[in-house]
Amino acid sequence: MDSAAHSSETDQEFKSKTERKNVKRKAISSPYFHRLQRRHFILFDILPIFGVVLAALLSLYLPISALDIGLFILFWALTGIGVSVGYHRYFTHRSFKATPAVAVLLTILGSMAGQGALLSWVAMHRRHHELSDQPGDPHSPNLHGSGIIGGIKGLVHSHFTWMKAHDYPNVVYYAPDLLRDPLISKTARYYYTWVLLGLLAPALLGGLLSQSWWGALSGFLWGGVIRMFVVGHIIWSINSVLHRVGTRPYQSRDYSRNGGVLGLFTFGESWHNNHHAFPESPSFGLQWAIFDPGYWFVRGLSLVGLAWDLRVPTAQRRSSRKKRNVQSL
């Protein structure tokens, strides 16, 4: 090998090592953060499983009521919008602008879902987009080997187990805009208060509307715990399933895919390949007729003057990103 070739190879190795080092600096790995992550994982990801089991056992003695279903749907919708429209489209990608009152409300509703504090969630998701399906992506299902075993390990990791301990994205690097916003930073600081509100509000409503302690318990389970369990798995399925299965109509540098049939349950989040192709768009369906309740909510806000500057890509830009052959698995 001549000296020029050797020098070029050495430069490439140095550049590669430097890039890997810089990536690591953007995230923090420490026992302290891992303890906090495990505590959150147990409280809001493991314990709701027991709540679902308890509700199933209680239903053997007293049938599930219309009030239970109503409270579940109400708080599923409120917290789902909080995560999809608030945490994701507004705070992470800044895909539209909104009044301070709307921003505060979306912070509270998103926090009630129990998916993590706002600044941490935003930092994590911005890191995901930066390194999607590459080393450093916190929840890719595609980095755990090939074959059936590797696929299963990847899906389990990306859907659930990654949350118990992972590198913590540096919020100073990934979310400086939120740190500079005193109103949002102060509101987000009360994350655990808002999570508790999301559990106690349906219990209070259940008790008042049924005039019974049983109604309060049932409201706590259905509008609080079971709702948290369901919303969590809906969000996690985007990380896991839709980086492995679905259609890929748009060019992207990762394995993000669309799963349109899940649109109703995910508030439009299942148009995941669309989103990775145009992350700045508040519309994930990219067309009005495509089922995207999250975007319809944003459009509703804009019609009454509470949101503006919706950055939906033009038809020409969408066409330029189209793949010639739609891929699916």
Side-chain angles (χ1 to χ4, degrees), residues 79-189:
T79 56
I81 287 294
V83 174
S84 178
V85 174
Y87 271 35
H88 196 189
R89 306 184 204 216
Y90 180 67
F91 289 112
T92 301
H93 295 291
R94 296 301 194 183
S95 61
F96 64 96
K97 295 178 181 177
T99 65
V102 168
V104 168
L105 180 62
L106 290 174
T107 301
I108 294 171
L109 292 178
S111 299
M112 285 166 57
Q115 291 286 296
L118 175 63
L119 271 69
S120 299
W121 199 100
V122 168
M124 187 72 65
H125 196 72
R126 287 176 178 175
R127 183 171 172 84
H128 163 64
H129 273 265
E130 179 186 50
L131 301 168
S132 186
D133 288 321
Q134 302 174 45
D137 183 345
H139 46 62
S140 172
N142 297 301
L143 302 173
H144 299 269
S146 57
I148 295 177
I149 300 300
I152 293 173
K153 287 173 61 178
L155 286 172
V156 171
H157 166 82
S158 63
H159 189 82
F160 200 62
T161 58
W162 73 273
M163 291 176 285
K164 67 181 180 181
H166 54 81
D167 288 356
Y168 183 74
N170 189 341
V171 295
V172 175
Y173 177 84
Y174 285 103
D177 52 325
L178 298 183
L179 288 171
R180 289 192 298 265
D181 188 327
L183 179 61
I184 295 306
S185 293
K186 184 176 181 179
T187 306
R189 202 173 299 144

Side-chain angles (χ1 to χ4, degrees), residues 37-312:
Q37 289 158 359
R38 282 193 293 270
R39 183 179 71 180
H40 191 279
F41 181 68
I42 291 170
L43 287 174
F44 304 129
D45 303 324
I46 298 297
L47 288 183
I49 297 173
F50 294 96
V52 171
V53 173
L54 176 60
L57 293 174
L58 291 176
S59 69
L60 299 176
Y61 297 93
L62 194 67
I64 300 168
S65 68
L67 178 59
D68 297 334
I69 301 300
L71 289 171
F72 170 81
I73 292 174
L74 173 62
F75 284 89
W76 162 77
L78 290 175
T79 56
I81 287 294
V83 174
S84 178
V85 174
Y87 271 35
H88 196 189
R89 306 184 204 216
Y90 180 67
F91 289 112
T92 301
H93 295 291
R94 296 301 194 183
S95 61
F96 64 96
K97 295 178 181 177
T99 65
V102 168
V104 168
L105 180 62
L106 290 174
T107 301
I108 294 171
L109 292 178
S111 299
M112 285 166 57
Q115 291 286 296
L118 175 63
L119 271 69
S120 299
W121 199 100
V122 168
M124 187 72 65
H125 196 72
R126 287 176 178 175
R127 183 171 172 84
H128 163 64
H129 273 265
E130 179 186 50
L131 301 168
S132 186
D133 288 321
Q134 302 174 45
D137 183 345
H139 46 62
S140 172
N142 297 301
L143 302 173
H144 299 269
S146 57
I148 295 177
I149 300 300
I152 293 173
K153 287 173 61 178
L155 286 172
V156 171
H157 166 82
S158 63
H159 189 82
F160 200 62
T161 58
W162 73 273
M163 291 176 285
K164 67 181 180 181
H166 54 81
D167 288 356
Y168 183 74
N170 189 341
V171 295
V172 175
Y173 177 84
Y174 285 103
D177 52 325
L178 298 183
L179 288 171
R180 289 192 298 265
D181 188 327
L183 179 61
I184 295 306
S185 293
K186 184 176 181 179
T187 306
R189 202 173 299 144
Y190 294 96
Y191 168 68
Y192 284 99
T193 300
W194 307 134
V195 174
L196 190 61
L197 176 65
L199 295 170
L200 295 183
L204 179 62
L205 282 174
L208 291 175
L209 293 174
S210 68
Q211 294 292 297
S212 70
W213 288 106
W214 176 264
L217 173 61
S218 194
F220 171 78
L221 289 173
W222 283 93
V225 178
I226 296 173
R227 177 270 308 164
M228 181 180 287
F229 173 85
V230 171
V231 170
H233 282 279
I234 285 172
I235 300 301
W236 305 331
S237 70
I238 308 300
N239 299 336
S240 57
V241 176
L242 293 183
H243 273 259
R244 293 300 297 266
V245 179
T247 60
R248 297 183 65 203
Y250 290 102
Q251 300 173 35
S252 64
R253 58 184 179 83
D254 52 34
Y255 297 100
S256 58
R257 297 175 181 272
N258 288 341
V261 70
L262 300 174
L264 169 63
F265 308 105
T266 61
F267 300 91
E269 295 281 329
S270 63
W271 303 106
H272 199 51
N273 175 249
N274 295 2
H275 167 58
H276 272 255
F278 306 100
E280 77 286 354
S281 173
S283 171
F284 293 172
L286 299 179
Q287 299 179 50
W288 177 255
I290 292 181
F291 201 85
D292 185 355
Y295 178 60
W296 297 347
F297 183 83
V298 176
R299 283 288 296 165
L301 292 176
S302 71
L303 291 175
V304 296
L306 296 176
W308 61 94
D309 197 15
L310 280 59
R311 297 186 293 156
V312 180

